[in-house]
């Protein structure tokens, strides 16, 4: 995916006044699907980009 997906999503959601959360991986340990610095945006309706899927992404979505 393009590195601009989450940036564009933030800009679009802000313009629409839609609340959202920016999720960022700040540290990686062991084997991970994405590196530190990976980001995704969670809005009420959808996810923009990914932090690698799996349980971590599911938990981040639930918390957001």
């Amino acid at each position: 995916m393009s590195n601009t997906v989450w940036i564009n999503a933030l800009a679009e959601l802000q313009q629409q006044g839609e609340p959202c959360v920016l999720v960022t991986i700040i540290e990686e340990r062991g084997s991970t699907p994405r590196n530190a610095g990976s980001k995704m945006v969670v809005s009420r309706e959808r996810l923009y980009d990914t932090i690698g899927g799996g349980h971590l992404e599911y938990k981040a979505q639930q918390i957001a």
Side-chain angles (χ1 to χ4, degrees):
M1 282 201 173
S2 169
N3 291 334
T4 62
V5 170
W6 67 269
I7 296 170
N8 292 338
L10 280 179
E12 180 180 319
L13 292 166
Q14 181 182 25
Q15 184 178 18
Q16 296 171 357
E18 177 80 25
C20 62
V21 174
L22 175 63
V23 177
T24 305
I25 300 296
I26 58 170
E27 182 181 13
E28 55 187 288
R29 293 183 186 167
S31 177
T32 62
R34 297 289 303 268
N35 296 333
S38 297
K39 297 177 183 349
M40 77 175 183
V41 174
V42 181
S43 75
R44 182 173 298 155
E45 299 296 322
R46 64 177 281 203
L47 301 177
Y48 299 84
D49 222 331
T50 182
I51 56 169
H55 187 69
L56 176 63
E57 187 165 296
Y58 172 79
K59 291 299 287 184
Q61 180 182 1
Q62 295 306 307
I63 292 168

